[in-house]
Structures are given as structure tokens and as C-alpha cells.
Amino acid sequence: MTGNVESPFAAVKVTERVYWVGAVDWGIRDFHGYATRRGSTYNAYLVVGDKIALIDTVKAPFVGEMLARVASVVNPAGIDYVISNHAEMDHSGGLPEVLAAVKPEKVFASTMGVKALAEHFALAQDVTPVKEGESLSLGNATLQFVEARMLHWPDSMMSYLAEERLLFSNDAFGMHLASSRRFADEIEPAVLEEEAARYYANILLPLSPLVGKLLEKVGKLGLAIDVIAPSHGPVWRKDPEHIAARYGEWAAGGAKRKAVVAYDTMWQSTAAMARAVGDGLAAAGVETVVVPLRESHRSDVATEVLEAGALLVGSPTLNNGIFPTVADMLTYLKGLKPRNLVGAAFGSYGWSGEAVAQMEEALRGMGVSVVEEGLRVKYVPDGEALWGCAALGRRAAEKLDF
Ligand code: FEO
């Protein structure tokens, strides 16, 4: 790292021609509804060839930091091209200020990106559309553009730097992880696995069929990849095949023999039922996670569900309906389109007890195969009722025929 006179923020060299010039957001804890307990990074990259290209920018409040990192390598006014791989504001928010400061010769985005940027900002200059397979010469290096529509917006695009065998993968292969380390091989593998899975579950899961197609396309294009440089989290410079393989597995939707029991409770009755359901599943040899929703986040459930084969949901009936934390989780999960799940609903009630049927409807609405009619217990479960809950867990386990 080298600093410059005005600012301590410095670039980090990634490869011979590529520098990380992004920003670390240590403080973000909610990324449009997803709990980012370890913060995030917004990765912009500088490619220094005969011509100089900036790949993406950062979230608007971090532009000064980003430009300082650029200035530790080159004068920002020397940037010839800006490439916007994605119009979402965590990557394009700084674009208006960057264009005003840098005045590059040209700005590039995908065809859909040109439209999306125009719908976000009044930019100081035109954006040139680029299509799949087109490339941009930097003199002694070439950037090739690879469309990645709907990963995770219609405009999303990747850029490939052949001379460094480096893929700027934008949102794909990323994670929300603030760290002083810029490379995945410098970070604890368990943290990488947890945060990569959390990111996939909460951002990319509903797009899994497209992830599978993208992996196929990259294979067919014959792009040799030594380094994957995503727009969030660390750069994969050693063994990038590992994260690509994990994406292949997640996209294929292969479930482990695992169950998630998510619940909330008013007077601990549904909590007791949830624990008994979980015990029944565990007794049948199923890896089981019981998630108390009042103390957890909807995105924790999504992360646990990523590799699960069963989802059992518990709620008391409150005002003739589902308890709000449970309804929130079900709404969120529906949007993520989990696949290949069996499930069931259960809950305690006082007099009307509609929540269980409503949860069953919600589970069916998200494509879960409901194994049997939901289990309701009036007021407080006695020993027999808890045995019934454990039996529900055992019957759900029988449906996990793998
Ligand atoms: Fe990281 Fe889709 O933005």
C-alpha cells in the first residue's frame, strides 16, 4: 500500500495491472433487508494499461475515499474510461461525482445499464452501451464484456481482463464482509463459507437457474480465470474454482439432510412445541436448527434454509393471524424462492387458532410440499402434546428420503 499527501486511503495491488480502489463499510448492518453483521465492502478496481479504466465506483458517501485510493496510484484525471458493470447504487452511487471529477473519455455500461443509469442520475456525459462479447482495448490489455442479466439486476455485467486472467464478477461470488484483508486466502475459511452462503441465500437464491446458466456460459466462452474480483468482499486469487464450485452446488439446489424449525412465541407454548419438533427431527438423524425469530433475523433463516430439505414453522395466533415476526420471515422467504423443501406448520392458540392454516397456505405459496395438516395445541402443551410435536418432526424426517 502507498498513501498520498492528502489522504491515508491507499490502493491495494491485486495483479500487475489491477488495483483495488474501493471502500470498506464497517458500519452497515442492514443491506436492503439483509442483516450484514460483518459490514461490507464496495469494490472498485483500477486497471492500469496504456489506457486507464475504472471498474465501477462505490456507494456515494465513500467517493472521496475511493478517489484518494485512485490518487495513490495515478492522478484521477488520468482515468480514460469508466465501466459501470451494474447500476445499483452501492456501485454506481459515486458515478455522478466521479464523472464530474474525472471527466473520462468514455463511460461504458450494458445496454440495460445505460437505461438504468439514465433512470437513476442526470450524468454529466453520455454512457456508451456495450454488448456481450464486445471488448475495449487499453492498448496493452483488453477488457471483454460478459452480460450477466438478472444477476442480480437486468443490467448486470461482468468484465474480463484476459492478460491477467481476471474476472470482475460484480455481485456474483461476493459477500458482505468488512475486513482489513483484501484477499480471500487471508481470511478464515469458515468465515468465508458462512458469509458467501449468507450472501448467496439472501441475494442470489431466487436467481439460481440463471446462476447455473452463467457458470455454463463462462465455461463455454473458455475464459481462463485465475482471479475473481467481485464487487463485495475479498478477491479470490487462489483457488477461484472453489467459490465457483460452491455456486454450482447452491444453484443446483442440492439439499443436505437438514431441517430448519423457525418460530416465535407469546407465552413459551409455541417455543416448547418448536423444541419438541426439533428433537423429533434430530432423533431421526436430521441436522436440525431451531431459530427463535424474536432473537434472530429473517436473513438468518434464509441462510439456514439454503442447504436444508425441511422447513417447519411455528406461530401462536395473534389477533386471528400469524405472529408478525413469523409473517415477515415467510414473506421474505417466499421472495427468495427456496426449492425442494418439505414442511409443516404448528402453533399454540387460545380460542380461534387461524395462524397454523395461514402458515400452511404461505408455505404452499412458496412451493413447499406440506407433509400433513398443521399441529395446533390449545394454550399450553402437556407431555402428550409435546410427544405429538416430536412425532411431527419424525414424520417430516421420513420425507427427507436422502
Ligand atoms: Fe451490490 Fe446488486 O448490487
Side-chain angles (χ1 to χ4, degrees), residues 65-381:
E65 181 176 328
M66 189 203 84
L67 288 173
R69 294 191 200 279
V70 172
S72 72
V73 183
V74 297
N75 181 346
I79 293 173
D80 298 288
Y81 306 127
V82 174
I83 291 139
S84 174
N85 274 334
H86 181 21
E88 192 163 12
M89 285 199 267
D90 47 335
H91 311 296
S92 72
L95 190 60
E97 196 177 331
V98 166
L99 297 189
V102 169
K103 299 183 179 60
E105 189 182 321
K106 287 200 124 179
V107 184
F108 299 96
S110 69
T111 309
M112 298 294 278
V114 172
K115 288 182 191 163
L117 289 171
E119 287 159 353
H120 278 73
F121 311 109
L123 294 175
Q125 62 190 91
D126 291 340
V127 182
T128 303
V130 290
K131 289 190 181 139
E132 171 86 17
E134 288 185 355
S135 51
L136 173 68
S137 173
L138 304 179
N140 61 348
T142 305
L143 284 165
Q144 180 182 337
F145 302 111
V146 180
E147 288 188 353
R149 286 194 183 195
M150 292 313 301
L151 294 173
H152 87 290
W153 274 17
D155 67 293
S156 295
M157 175 174 91
M158 301 181 178
S159 303
Y160 175 70
L161 183 62
E163 287 75 9
E164 311 280 1
R165 297 159 70 102
L166 185 153
L167 182 69
F168 298 104
S169 62
N170 197 256
D171 278 333
F173 309 117
M175 66 184 72
H176 288 308
L177 173 63
S179 171
S180 59
R181 311 289 190 190
R182 297 277 69 79
F183 299 98
D185 52 277
E186 300 172 325
I187 295 169
E188 185 64 37
V191 173
L192 294 177
E193 171 70 18
E194 181 185 336
E195 294 301 338
R198 175 176 291 272
Y199 183 93
Y200 189 97
N202 286 280
I203 303 270
L204 294 168
L205 183 60
L207 309 165
S208 286
L210 296 174
V211 172
K213 283 185 183 157
L214 178 77
L215 292 170
E216 267 177 39
K217 182 169 82 169
V218 169
K220 280 186 191 157
L221 288 171
L223 305 181
I225 296 172
D226 289 343
V227 182
I228 296 177
S231 289
H232 299 287
V235 172
W236 306 90
R237 67 179 170 183
K238 289 185 183 168
D239 194 19
E241 298 82 7
H242 174 73
I243 187 66
R246 291 301 278 140
Y247 266 52
E249 289 160 13
W250 291 326
K256 291 198 290 190
R257 196 168 159 77
K258 172 181 173 180
V260 178
V261 182
Y263 74 94
D264 208 337
T265 193
M266 289 168 66
W267 295 106
Q268 297 303 315
S269 289
T270 305
M273 293 176 75
R275 293 197 300 274
V277 170
D279 253 40
L281 283 154
V286 176
E287 176 190 343
T288 302
V289 182
V290 179
V291 185
L293 288 169
R294 199 92 57 90
E295 288 76 28
S296 309
H297 193 272
R298 63 181 87 88
S299 52
D300 297 332
V301 180
T303 306
E304 293 294 352
V305 163
L306 176 62
E307 294 186 333
L311 172 64
L312 293 97
V313 184
S315 172
T317 294
L318 177 67
N319 299 329
N320 307 107
I322 303 172
F323 201 79
T325 49
V326 182
D328 173 279
M329 181 274 292
L330 288 168
T331 300
Y332 184 72
L333 267 192
K334 184 181 181 188
L336 294 176
K337 300 185 174 67
R339 291 168 295 164
N340 308 322
L341 286 171
V342 298
F346 61 90
S348 157
Y349 70 104
W351 47 97
S352 58
E354 293 93 333
V356 167
Q358 292 173 12
M359 287 189 290
E360 276 177 8
E361 192 181 332
L363 287 171
R364 289 196 177 97
M366 70 170 84
V368 174
S369 172
V370 174
V371 297
E372 62 186 50
E373 191 176 331
L375 184 58
R376 300 191 311 166
V377 170
K378 196 160 190 211
Y379 288 121
V380 178

